[in-house]
Coordinates of all heavy atoms in Angstrom, one line a residue:
M239 N 269.5 1.7 144.1 CA 269.3 1.3 145.5 C 270.6 1.2 146.2 O 271.6 0.9 145.6 CB 268.6 -0.1 145.4 CG 268.3 -0.6 146.8 SD 267.6 -2.3 146.8 CE 266.3 -2.2 145.8
R240 N 270.6 1.6 147.4 CA 271.8 1.6 148.2 C 271.8 0.4 149.2 O 270.8 0.2 149.8 CB 272.0 2.9 148.9 CG 272.2 4.1 148.0 CD 272.5 5.3 148.8 NE 273.9 5.2 149.2 CZ 274.5 6.1 149.8 NH1 274.0 7.2 150.2 NH2 275.8 6.0 150.2
T241 N 273.0 -0.2 149.3 CA 273.0 -1.3 150.4 C 273.2 -0.6 151.7 O 273.6 0.6 151.9 CB 274.2 -2.1 150.1 OG1 275.4 -1.4 150.3 CG2 274.2 -2.7 148.6
Q242 N 272.9 -1.5 152.7 CA 273.1 -1.0 154.1 C 274.5 -0.7 154.4 O 274.8 0.3 155.1 CB 272.6 -2.1 155.1 CG 272.6 -1.7 156.5 CD 272.1 -2.8 157.4 OE1 271.5 -3.8 156.9 NE2 272.3 -2.6 158.7
A243 N 275.5 -1.4 153.8 CA 276.9 -1.1 154.0 C 277.3 0.2 153.4 O 278.0 1.0 154.0 CB 277.8 -2.2 153.4
A244 N 276.7 0.6 152.2 CA 277.0 1.8 151.6 C 276.4 3.0 152.4 O 277.0 4.0 152.5 CB 276.4 1.8 150.1
L245 N 275.2 2.8 152.9 CA 274.6 3.8 153.7 C 275.4 4.1 155.0 O 275.7 5.2 155.4 CB 273.2 3.4 154.1 CG 272.4 4.4 154.9 CD1 272.2 5.7 154.2 CD2 270.9 3.8 155.2
A246 N 275.9 2.9 155.6 CA 276.7 3.1 156.8 C 278.0 3.8 156.5 O 278.4 4.7 157.3 CB 277.1 1.7 157.4
R247 N 278.6 3.6 155.4 CA 279.9 4.3 155.0 C 279.6 5.8 154.8 O 280.3 6.6 155.2 CB 280.4 3.7 153.7 CG 281.2 2.5 153.9 CD 282.1 2.1 152.8 NE 281.3 1.9 151.6 CZ 280.7 0.7 151.2 NH1 280.7 -0.3 152.0 NH2 279.9 0.6 150.1
G248 N 278.4 6.1 154.2 CA 278.0 7.5 153.9 C 277.8 8.2 155.2 O 278.2 9.4 155.4
I249 N 277.2 7.5 156.2 CA 276.9 8.2 157.5 C 278.2 8.4 158.2 O 278.5 9.4 158.8 CB 276.0 7.3 158.3 CG1 274.6 7.4 157.8 CG2 276.0 7.8 159.8 CD1 273.6 6.4 158.4
G250 N 279.2 7.5 158.1 CA 280.5 7.6 158.6 C 281.2 8.8 158.1 O 281.9 9.6 158.8
V251 N 281.1 9.0 156.8 CA 281.7 10.2 156.1 C 281.1 11.5 156.6 O 281.8 12.4 157.0 CB 281.6 10.1 154.6 CG1 281.9 11.4 153.9 CG2 282.4 9.0 154.0
L252 N 279.8 11.6 156.8 CA 279.2 12.7 157.3 C 279.6 13.0 158.8 O 279.9 14.2 159.1 CB 277.6 12.5 157.2 CG 277.1 12.5 155.8 CD1 275.5 12.3 155.9 CD2 277.4 13.7 155.1
D253 N 279.7 11.9 159.6 CA 280.2 12.1 161.0 C 281.5 12.7 160.9 O 281.9 13.6 161.8 CB 280.2 10.8 161.7 CG 278.7 10.3 162.0 OD1 277.8 11.1 162.0 OD2 278.6 9.1 162.3
D254 N 282.4 12.2 160.0 CA 283.8 12.7 160.0 C 283.8 14.2 159.6 O 284.5 15.0 160.2 CB 284.6 11.9 158.9 CG 286.1 12.3 158.9 OD1 286.7 12.4 159.9 OD2 286.5 12.6 157.7
L255 N 283.0 14.5 158.6 CA 283.0 15.9 158.2 C 282.5 16.8 159.3 O 283.0 17.9 159.4 CB 282.1 16.1 156.9 CG 282.6 15.4 155.7 CD1 281.5 15.5 154.5 CD2 283.9 16.1 155.2
R256 N 281.5 16.3 160.0 CA 281.0 17.2 161.1 C 282.0 17.3 162.2 O 282.2 18.4 162.7 CB 279.7 16.5 161.7 CG 279.0 17.3 162.8 CD 277.9 16.5 163.5 NE 278.1 15.2 163.9 CZ 278.8 14.8 165.0 NH1 279.3 15.7 165.7 NH2 279.1 13.5 165.3
E257 N 282.7 16.2 162.5 CA 283.8 16.3 163.5 C 284.9 17.2 163.2 O 285.5 17.9 164.0 CB 284.3 14.8 163.9 CG 283.4 14.0 164.6 CD 283.8 12.5 164.7 OE1 284.9 12.2 164.3 OE2 282.9 11.7 165.1
R258 N 285.1 17.3 161.9 CA 286.2 18.2 161.4 C 285.7 19.6 161.2 O 286.5 20.5 160.8 CB 286.7 17.7 160.0 CG 287.4 16.4 160.2 CD 287.8 15.8 158.8 NE 288.5 16.7 158.0 CZ 288.6 16.6 156.7 NH1 288.1 15.5 156.1 NH2 289.3 17.4 155.9
G259 N 284.4 19.9 161.6 CA 283.8 21.3 161.5 C 283.6 21.7 160.1 O 283.5 22.9 159.9
L260 N 283.3 20.8 159.2 CA 283.1 21.2 157.8 C 281.6 21.3 157.5 O 281.2 21.9 156.5 CB 283.8 20.2 156.8 CG 285.3 20.2 157.0 CD1 286.0 19.2 156.2 CD2 285.9 21.6 156.8
I261 N 280.8 20.5 158.2 CA 279.3 20.5 158.0 C 278.6 20.6 159.3 O 279.2 20.3 160.3 CB 278.8 19.3 157.2 CG1 279.0 18.0 158.0 CG2 279.4 19.2 155.8 CD1 278.2 16.8 157.5
R262 N 277.3 21.0 159.2 CA 276.4 21.0 160.3 C 275.2 20.1 160.0 O 274.9 20.0 158.8 CB 275.8 22.4 160.5 CG 276.6 23.3 161.3 CD 275.8 24.6 161.6 NE 275.5 25.4 160.4 CZ 276.4 26.2 159.7 NH1 277.6 26.4 160.2 NH2 276.0 26.8 158.6
R263 N 274.8 19.3 160.9 CA 273.6 18.4 160.8 C 272.6 19.0 161.8 O 272.8 19.0 162.9 CB 273.9 17.0 161.1 CG 274.9 16.4 160.1 CD 275.5 15.1 160.5 NE 274.5 14.1 160.5 CZ 274.8 12.8 160.8 NH1 276.0 12.5 161.2 NH2 273.9 11.9 160.7
Q264 N 271.4 19.5 161.2 CA 270.4 20.0 162.1 C 269.1 19.3 161.8 O 268.8 18.9 160.6 CB 270.3 21.5 161.7 CG 271.5 22.3 162.0 CD 271.4 23.7 161.5 OE1 271.1 23.9 160.4 NE2 271.7 24.6 162.4
P265 N 268.2 19.2 162.8 CA 266.9 18.6 162.5 C 266.1 19.4 161.5 O 266.2 20.6 161.5 CB 266.2 18.7 163.9 CG 267.3 18.9 164.9 CD 268.4 19.6 164.2
D266 N 265.4 18.7 160.7 CA 264.5 19.3 159.7 C 263.2 19.7 160.4 O 262.6 18.9 160.9 CB 264.2 18.4 158.6 CG 263.4 18.9 157.4 OD1 262.8 20.0 157.6 OD2 263.3 18.3 156.4
P267 N 262.9 21.0 160.4 CA 261.7 21.4 161.1 C 260.5 20.8 160.5 O 259.4 20.7 161.2 CB 261.7 23.0 160.9 CG 262.8 23.3 160.1 CD 263.6 22.1 159.8
A268 N 260.5 20.4 159.3 CA 259.3 19.8 158.7 C 259.2 18.3 158.9 O 258.2 17.7 158.6 CB 259.3 20.1 157.1
D269 N 260.3 17.7 159.3 CA 260.3 16.2 159.5 C 261.4 15.9 160.5 O 262.6 15.8 160.3 CB 260.6 15.5 158.2 CG 260.6 14.0 158.3 OD1 260.5 13.5 159.4 OD2 260.8 13.3 157.3
R270 N 260.9 15.7 161.8 CA 261.9 15.6 162.9 C 262.8 14.3 162.8 O 263.8 14.2 163.4 CB 261.2 15.6 164.2 CG 260.2 14.5 164.4 CD 259.4 14.7 165.6 NE 258.4 13.6 165.7 CZ 258.3 12.8 166.7 NH1 259.1 12.8 167.7 NH2 257.4 11.9 166.6
R271 N 262.4 13.4 161.9 CA 263.2 12.2 161.7 C 264.4 12.5 160.7 O 265.4 11.7 160.8 CB 262.3 11.1 161.0 CG 261.2 10.6 161.9 CD 260.3 9.8 161.1 NE 259.7 10.6 160.1 CZ 258.9 10.2 159.1 NH1 258.6 8.9 159.0 NH2 258.3 11.0 158.2
A272 N 264.3 13.5 160.0 CA 265.4 13.9 159.0 C 266.4 14.9 159.5 O 266.0 15.7 160.5 CB 264.7 14.4 157.8
R273 N 267.5 15.0 159.0 CA 268.5 15.9 159.3 C 268.8 16.7 158.1 O 269.0 16.2 157.0 CB 269.8 15.3 159.8 CG 269.6 14.5 161.1 CD 269.6 15.4 162.3 NE 269.5 14.6 163.5 CZ 268.6 14.9 164.4 NH1 267.7 15.8 164.2 NH2 268.5 14.2 165.6
L274 N 269.1 18.0 158.2 CA 269.4 18.9 157.1 C 270.9 19.1 157.3 O 271.5 19.4 158.3 CB 268.7 20.2 157.2 CG 267.2 20.2 157.0 CD1 266.6 21.6 157.2 CD2 266.8 19.6 155.7
L275 N 271.7 19.0 156.1 CA 273.1 19.2 156.1 C 273.4 20.6 155.5 O 272.8 21.0 154.5 CB 273.8 18.2 155.3 CG 273.5 16.7 155.6 CD1 274.1 15.8 154.6 CD2 274.0 16.4 157.0
S276 N 274.4 21.3 156.0 CA 274.9 22.5 155.5 C 276.4 22.7 155.7 O 276.9 22.1 156.7 CB 274.1 23.7 156.1 OG 274.3 23.8 157.5
L277 N 277.0 23.4 154.9 CA 278.4 23.6 155.1 C 278.7 24.7 156.1 O 277.9 25.7 156.2 CB 279.1 24.1 153.8 CG 279.2 23.1 152.6 CD1 279.7 23.8 151.3 CD2 280.1 22.0 153.0
T278 N 279.7 24.6 156.9 CA 280.2 25.6 157.8 C 281.0 26.6 157.0 O 281.3 26.3 155.8 CB 280.9 25.0 159.0 OG1 282.1 24.4 158.4 CG2 280.1 24.0 159.8
R279 N 281.4 27.6 157.7 CA 282.3 28.5 157.0 C 283.6 27.8 156.6 O 284.1 28.0 155.4 CB 282.7 29.7 157.9 CG 283.5 30.7 157.3 CD 283.7 32.0 158.2 NE 284.4 33.0 157.5 CZ 285.2 33.9 158.0 NH1 285.4 33.8 159.3 NH2 285.8 34.8 157.2
A280 N 284.2 27.0 157.5 CA 285.3 26.2 157.1 C 285.0 25.3 156.0 O 285.9 25.0 155.1 CB 285.9 25.5 158.3
G281 N 283.9 24.7 155.9 CA 283.5 23.8 154.8 C 283.4 24.5 153.5 O 283.9 24.0 152.4
R282 N 282.9 25.7 153.5 CA 282.8 26.5 152.2 C 284.2 26.9 151.8 O 284.5 26.9 150.6 CB 281.9 27.8 152.5 CG 280.4 27.4 152.6 CD 279.6 28.7 152.5 NE 279.9 29.6 153.7 CZ 279.4 29.5 154.9 NH1 278.5 28.6 155.2 NH2 279.7 30.4 155.8
Q283 N 285.0 27.3 152.8 CA 286.4 27.7 152.4 C 287.2 26.5 151.8 O 287.9 26.7 150.8 CB 287.2 28.3 153.6 CG 286.7 29.5 154.1 CD 287.3 30.0 155.4 OE1 287.7 29.2 156.2 NE2 287.3 31.3 155.7
L284 N 287.0 25.3 152.4 CA 287.7 24.2 151.8 C 287.1 23.9 150.4 O 287.9 23.6 149.5 CB 287.5 23.0 152.7 CG 288.1 21.7 152.2 CD1 289.6 21.8 152.0 CD2 287.8 20.5 153.2
R285 N 285.8 23.9 150.3 CA 285.2 23.6 148.9 C 285.7 24.6 147.9 O 286.1 24.2 146.8 CB 283.7 23.7 149.0 CG 283.0 23.6 147.7 CD 281.6 24.2 147.7 NE 281.7 25.7 147.9 CZ 280.7 26.4 148.4 NH1 279.5 25.9 148.6 NH2 280.9 27.7 148.6
D286 N 285.8 25.9 148.3 CA 286.2 26.9 147.3 C 287.7 26.7 146.9 O 288.1 26.8 145.8 CB 286.0 28.3 147.9 CG 284.5 28.7 148.0 OD1 283.7 27.9 147.5 OD2 284.2 29.6 148.8
A287 N 288.5 26.4 147.9 CA 289.9 26.1 147.6 C 290.1 24.9 146.7 O 291.0 24.9 145.8 CB 290.7 25.9 149.0
V288 N 289.4 23.8 147.0 CA 289.5 22.7 146.2 C 289.0 22.9 144.8 O 289.7 22.6 143.7 CB 288.7 21.5 146.8 CG1 288.6 20.3 145.8 CG2 289.4 21.0 148.1
Q289 N 287.9 23.6 144.6 CA 287.4 24.0 143.3 C 288.4 24.9 142.5 O 288.6 24.6 141.3 CB 286.1 24.7 143.4 CG 284.9 23.8 143.7 CD 283.6 24.5 143.9 OE1 283.5 25.7 144.2 NE2 282.5 23.7 143.6
A290 N 289.1 25.8 143.2 CA 290.1 26.7 142.6 C 291.3 25.9 142.1 O 291.8 26.0 141.0 CB 290.5 27.8 143.5
A291 N 291.7 24.9 143.0 CA 292.9 24.1 142.6 C 292.5 23.2 141.4 O 293.4 23.0 140.5 CB 293.2 23.2 143.8
I292 N 291.3 22.6 141.4 CA 290.9 21.8 140.2 C 290.8 22.7 139.0 O 291.3 22.2 137.9 CB 289.5 21.2 140.5 CG1 289.6 20.1 141.5 CG2 288.9 20.6 139.2 CD1 288.3 19.6 142.1
Q293 N 290.3 23.9 139.0 CA 290.2 24.8 137.9 C 291.7 25.1 137.3 O 291.9 25.1 136.1 CB 289.5 26.0 138.2 CG 289.3 27.0 137.1 CD 288.3 26.4 136.1 OE1 287.4 25.8 136.4 NE2 288.6 26.7 134.8
Q294 N 292.6 25.3 138.3 CA 293.9 25.7 137.9 C 294.6 24.5 137.1 O 295.2 24.7 136.1 CB 294.8 26.1 139.0 CG 294.5 27.4 139.6 CD 295.2 27.7 140.9 OE1 295.8 26.8 141.6 NE2 295.3 28.9 141.3
R295 N 294.4 23.3 137.6 CA 295.0 22.1 137.0 C 294.3 21.9 135.6 O 295.0 21.5 134.7 CB 294.9 20.9 137.9 CG 295.8 21.0 139.1 CD 295.7 19.8 139.9 NE 296.7 19.9 141.0 CZ 296.9 19.0 141.9 NH1 296.1 17.9 141.9 NH2 297.8 19.2 142.8
E296 N 293.0 22.0 135.5 CA 292.3 21.9 134.3 C 292.9 22.9 133.2 O 293.2 22.5 132.1 CB 290.8 22.1 134.4 CG 290.1 20.9 135.0 CD 288.6 21.3 135.3 OE1 288.1 22.4 135.0 OE2 287.9 20.4 135.8
E297 N 293.0 24.1 133.7 CA 293.5 25.1 132.7 C 295.0 24.8 132.3 O 295.2 24.9 131.1 CB 293.6 26.5 133.4 CG 292.2 27.1 133.6 CD 291.4 27.3 132.3 OE1 292.1 27.7 131.3 OE2 290.2 27.1 132.3
R298 N 295.8 24.3 133.2 CA 297.2 24.0 132.8 C 297.2 22.8 131.8 O 298.0 22.9 130.9 CB 298.0 23.6 134.0 CG 298.6 24.8 134.7 CD 299.7 24.3 135.7 NE 299.2 23.3 136.6 CZ 299.2 23.3 137.9 NH1 299.7 24.3 138.5 NH2 298.7 22.3 138.6
L299 N 296.4 21.9 132.0 CA 296.3 20.7 131.1 C 295.7 21.2 129.8 O 296.3 20.8 128.7 CB 295.4 19.6 131.7 CG 295.3 18.3 130.9 CD1 296.6 17.6 130.9 CD2 294.3 17.4 131.6
L300 N 294.7 21.9 129.8 CA 294.0 22.3 128.5 C 294.9 23.3 127.7 O 294.8 23.4 126.5 CB 292.6 22.9 128.8 CG 291.6 21.9 129.2 CD1 290.3 22.6 129.7 CD2 291.3 20.8 128.2
D301 N 295.7 24.1 128.5 CA 296.6 25.0 127.8 C 297.6 24.3 126.8 O 298.2 24.9 126.0 CB 297.4 25.8 128.8 CG 296.6 27.0 129.3 OD1 295.5 27.3 128.8 OD2 297.0 27.6 130.3
R302 N 297.8 23.0 127.0 CA 298.7 22.2 126.1 C 298.1 21.9 124.8 O 298.7 21.5 123.9 CB 299.1 21.0 126.8 CG 299.8 21.2 128.1 CD 300.1 19.9 128.8 NE 300.8 20.2 130.1 CZ 301.3 19.3 130.9 NH1 301.2 18.0 130.5 NH2 301.8 19.6 132.0
L303 N 296.7 22.1 124.7 CA 296.0 21.8 123.4 C 296.0 23.0 122.5 O 295.8 24.2 123.0 CB 294.6 21.3 123.7 CG 294.5 20.0 124.5 CD1 293.0 19.7 124.7 CD2 295.1 18.8 123.6
P304 N 296.0 22.9 121.2 CA 295.7 24.0 120.4 C 294.3 24.5 120.6 O 293.4 23.6 121.0 CB 295.9 23.5 118.9 CG 296.7 22.2 119.1 CD 296.4 21.7 120.5
E305 N 294.0 25.7 120.3 CA 292.7 26.3 120.7 C 291.6 25.5 120.1 O 290.5 25.3 120.7 CB 292.7 27.8 120.3 CG 291.3 28.5 120.6 CD 291.1 28.5 122.1 OE1 292.0 28.6 122.9 OE2 289.8 28.5 122.5
E306 N 291.6 25.2 118.8 CA 290.6 24.5 118.1 C 290.3 23.1 118.8 O 289.2 22.7 119.0 CB 290.9 24.3 116.6 CG 289.8 23.7 115.8 CD 290.1 23.6 114.3 OE1 290.7 24.6 113.8 OE2 289.7 22.6 113.7
D307 N 291.4 22.4 119.1 CA 291.3 21.0 119.8 C 290.6 21.3 121.2 O 289.8 20.4 121.6 CB 292.6 20.4 119.9 CG 293.2 20.0 118.5 OD1 292.4 19.9 117.6 OD2 294.4 19.6 118.5
R308 N 291.0 22.3 121.8 CA 290.5 22.6 123.2 C 289.0 22.8 123.1 O 288.3 22.2 123.9 CB 291.2 23.8 123.8 CG 290.8 24.2 125.1 CD 291.5 25.4 125.6 NE 291.0 25.8 126.9 CZ 291.7 26.4 127.8 NH1 293.0 26.8 127.6 NH2 291.2 26.8 129.0
R309 N 288.6 23.6 122.2 CA 287.1 23.9 122.0 C 286.4 22.6 121.7 O 285.3 22.4 122.3 CB 286.9 24.9 120.9 CG 286.9 26.4 121.4 CD 286.3 27.3 120.4 NE 286.8 27.1 119.0 CZ 287.8 27.7 118.5 NH1 288.5 28.5 119.2 NH2 288.2 27.4 117.2
G310 N 286.9 21.8 120.8 CA 286.3 20.6 120.4 C 286.1 19.6 121.6 O 285.1 19.0 121.8
F311 N 287.2 19.5 122.3 CA 287.2 18.6 123.5 C 286.2 19.1 124.6 O 285.4 18.3 125.1 CB 288.7 18.7 124.1 CG 288.8 17.9 125.4 CD1 288.7 16.5 125.4 CD2 289.0 18.6 126.6 CE1 288.8 15.7 126.6 CE2 289.1 17.8 127.8 CZ 289.0 16.4 127.8
L312 N 286.1 20.4 124.8 CA 285.2 20.9 125.8 C 283.8 20.8 125.4 O 282.9 20.5 126.1 CB 285.5 22.4 126.1 CG 286.8 22.6 126.9 CD1 287.1 24.1 127.1 CD2 286.8 21.9 128.3
N313 N 283.5 20.9 124.0 CA 282.2 20.7 123.5 C 281.8 19.3 123.6 O 280.7 19.0 123.9 CB 282.1 21.1 122.0 CG 282.2 22.6 121.9 OD1 281.9 23.4 122.8 ND2 282.6 23.1 120.7
A314 N 282.7 18.3 123.4 CA 282.4 16.9 123.5 C 282.1 16.6 125.0 O 281.2 15.9 125.3 CB 283.6 16.1 123.0
L315 N 282.9 17.1 125.9 CA 282.6 16.9 127.3 C 281.2 17.4 127.7 O 280.5 16.8 128.5 CB 283.7 17.5 128.2 CG 285.1 16.9 128.2 CD1 286.0 17.7 129.1 CD2 284.9 15.5 128.8
Q316 N 280.9 18.6 127.3 CA 279.5 19.2 127.6 C 278.4 18.3 127.0 O 277.4 18.1 127.7 CB 279.4 20.6 127.0 CG 280.2 21.6 127.8 CD 280.2 23.0 127.2 OE1 279.9 23.1 126.1 NE2 280.6 23.9 128.1
A317 N 278.6 17.8 125.8 CA 277.6 16.9 125.2 C 277.4 15.6 126.0 O 276.3 15.2 126.2 CB 278.0 16.6 123.7
L318 N 278.6 15.0 126.4 CA 278.5 13.8 127.2 C 277.9 14.1 128.6 O 277.1 13.3 129.1 CB 279.9 13.2 127.4 CG 280.6 12.7 126.2 CD1 282.0 12.3 126.4 CD2 279.8 11.5 125.7
A319 N 278.2 15.2 129.2 CA 277.6 15.6 130.5 C 276.2 15.7 130.5 O 275.5 15.5 131.5 CB 278.3 16.8 131.1
A320 N 275.6 16.2 129.3 CA 274.2 16.4 129.1 C 273.4 15.1 129.0 O 272.2 15.2 129.0 CB 274.0 17.4 128.0
L321 N 274.1 14.0 128.8 CA 273.4 12.7 128.5 C 272.6 12.3 129.9 O 273.2 12.5 130.9 CB 274.3 11.6 128.2 CG 275.0 11.7 126.8 CD1 276.0 10.6 126.6 CD2 273.9 11.7 125.7
S322 N 271.4 11.8 129.7 CA 270.7 11.2 130.9 C 271.3 9.9 131.2 O 271.9 9.2 130.4 CB 269.3 11.2 130.5 OG 269.0 10.1 129.7
P323 N 271.1 9.4 132.5 CA 271.6 8.1 132.8 C 271.0 7.0 131.9 O 271.7 6.1 131.6 CB 271.1 7.9 134.3 CG 270.9 9.3 134.8 CD 270.6 10.1 133.6
S324 N 269.8 7.1 131.5 CA 269.3 6.1 130.5 C 270.0 6.1 129.2 O 270.1 5.0 128.6 CB 267.8 6.3 130.4 OG 267.5 7.6 129.8
E325 N 270.4 7.3 128.8 CA 271.1 7.3 127.5 C 272.5 6.7 127.6 O 273.1 6.1 126.7 CB 271.3 8.8 127.0 CG 269.9 9.4 126.6 CD 270.1 10.9 126.2 OE1 270.6 11.6 127.1 OE2 269.7 11.3 125.1
I326 N 273.1 6.9 128.8 CA 274.4 6.3 129.0 C 274.4 4.8 129.0 O 275.3 4.2 128.5 CB 275.1 6.9 130.4 CG1 275.3 8.4 130.2 CG2 276.4 6.2 130.7 CD1 275.6 9.1 131.5
G327 N 273.3 4.3 129.6 CA 273.2 2.8 129.7 C 272.8 2.1 128.5 O 272.9 0.9 128.4
R328 N 272.5 2.8 127.3 CA 272.0 2.2 126.1 C 273.2 1.5 125.4 O 274.3 2.0 125.5 CB 271.4 3.2 125.2 CG 270.1 3.6 125.6 CD 269.6 4.5 124.4 NE 268.5 5.4 125.0 CZ 268.1 6.5 124.5 NH1 268.6 6.9 123.3 NH2 267.1 7.1 125.0
E329 N 272.9 0.4 124.8 CA 274.0 -0.2 124.0 C 273.6 -0.4 122.5 O 272.5 -0.4 122.2 CB 274.3 -1.6 124.5 CG 275.0 -1.4 125.9 CD 275.5 -2.7 126.4 OE1 275.9 -3.6 125.6 OE2 275.6 -2.8 127.7

C-alpha cells in the first residue's frame, strides 16, 4: 500500500521527467481517467547511457575477482534475484 505522500512524490517525479522531455504522459484510450507513460527519444538515450555506465562499472569491479569467484558471485546474485517477495520475508 502506498501513502498519499508517497503517491504525491511519485507524481512530482513524473512531472519533472515530463518537463525535462524524458517521458510522455498520454490519455489511455481504454480508460480516460488513466494516463499512459512512455519514454521520449531523449528518455531512451538517457536510459541507455545510464545502463551502459552501470554495466562498465560492474565489469570493472567484477574484473578484480578471480574467474571462479566471479562466477560464484554472479550465480548467487541470480539465485537471490529469483526469490519471490514472500520468500525474502521469511525468517
